[in-house]
Amino acid sequence: MMNGNVAVVVVGGGYGGVTAANRLARRDGVSVTLVNPRPDFVSRIRLHQLVTGSKDAVEDFGEVLGRNVRLVVDTATRIDAAERRVSLAGGGTLSYDYLVYAVGSGAADPGVPGAAEFAHSVSTLEGARRLRSALAATPATAPVTVVGAGPTGLETAAELAELGRKVTLVCGNVLGPYLHARVRRLVARRLAELGVTILEGPGARVAE
């Protein structure tokens, strides 16, 4: 248990940052400040639902942060470890005894020619919103190709198919490579029931 007045700054308001902030704020004598560039919490594992409109994927931080956590809506631009200080884009600074750096992950560059220019990503709030707008402007009969058969790809393909979209899922080799073979068969059957065309095997890798 920490004693005395201990200042903790958490940089990043994703799952890791929010969990750390809430747990630390429950300790006596600990003050926690969470720094995040948006005023809202983005549920990244729900972004595919935002695309189809079945869920918003954005919540007010008041719903997920404990009452004892102070939210600062700003971007950390510099961490001075020697001075134990975080500089903010808005011009302010935050002093800390302990720093939790939880800015999260980003999507890897697929390394596929044309992907950046012509494909939509579901890995960020902005990307999911752009895809939602693009789908809204496209006839419901227009086919959609989902590339990648990890959790996000599977969920996105299923959500779009449930809306009645004609969906092709390009697996890049194996559908749900992290799944047990039995579960993989169940997932493949369910996607087939929804009308999803599944392309898998060594030749099912997007080249361009």
Side-chain angles (χ1 to χ4, degrees):
M1 199 71 165
M2 294 178 181
N3 295 315
N5 189 21
V6 176
V8 178
V9 171
V10 178
V11 178
Y15 297 109
V18 166
T19 301
N22 285 341
R23 286 189 178 170
L24 289 165
R26 287 200 292 264
R27 295 176 173 231
D28 292 334
V30 178
S31 63
V32 180
T33 301
L34 179 84
V35 181
N36 196 66
R38 310 177 194 280
D40 302 303
F41 173 75
V42 177
S43 181
R44 282 184 63 184
I45 61 170
R46 299 279 172 250
L47 286 173
H48 63 277
Q49 293 177 315
L50 182 145
V51 168
T52 59
S54 66
K55 198 173 176 111
D56 192 21
V58 178
E59 294 179 68
D60 187 280
F61 267 117
E63 299 294 315
V64 296
L65 278 182
R67 290 193 318 272
N68 297 338
V69 179
R70 179 170 75 109
L71 174 66
V72 173
V73 180
D74 210 329
T75 301
T77 56
R78 185 169 190 274
I79 296 169
D80 186 335
E83 295 292 326
R84 293 190 175 186
R85 192 166 52 223
V86 177
S87 299
L88 304 173
T93 59
L94 296 169
S95 296
Y96 63 85
D97 295 305
Y98 294 94
L99 177 76
V100 177
Y101 190 72
V103 296
S105 60
D109 181 344
V112 175
E117 297 87 350
F118 306 113
H120 290 274
S121 171
V122 192
S123 62
T124 66
L125 178 61
E126 292 76 16
R129 283 176 170 164
R130 280 193 297 272
L131 176 54
R132 184 174 176 174
S133 296
L135 288 170
T138 306
T141 53
V144 179
T145 298
V146 176
V147 178
T152 302
L154 295 177
E155 295 278 7
T156 302
E159 288 268 341
L160 290 169
E162 284 172 355
L163 286 181
R165 291 273 181 178
K166 185 176 179 349
V167 179
T168 299
L169 177 63
V170 181
C171 296
N173 196 7
V174 179
L175 176 112
Y178 55 92
L179 296 172
H180 185 279
R182 187 180 71 253
V183 177
R184 190 177 300 130
R185 285 193 295 272
L186 291 172
V187 170
R189 190 181 311 144
R190 177 63 183 142
L191 288 171
E193 287 168 0
L194 289 170
V196 176
T197 300
I198 298 170
L199 303 181
E200 57 182 330
R205 202 171 278 278
V206 174
E208 188 176 358

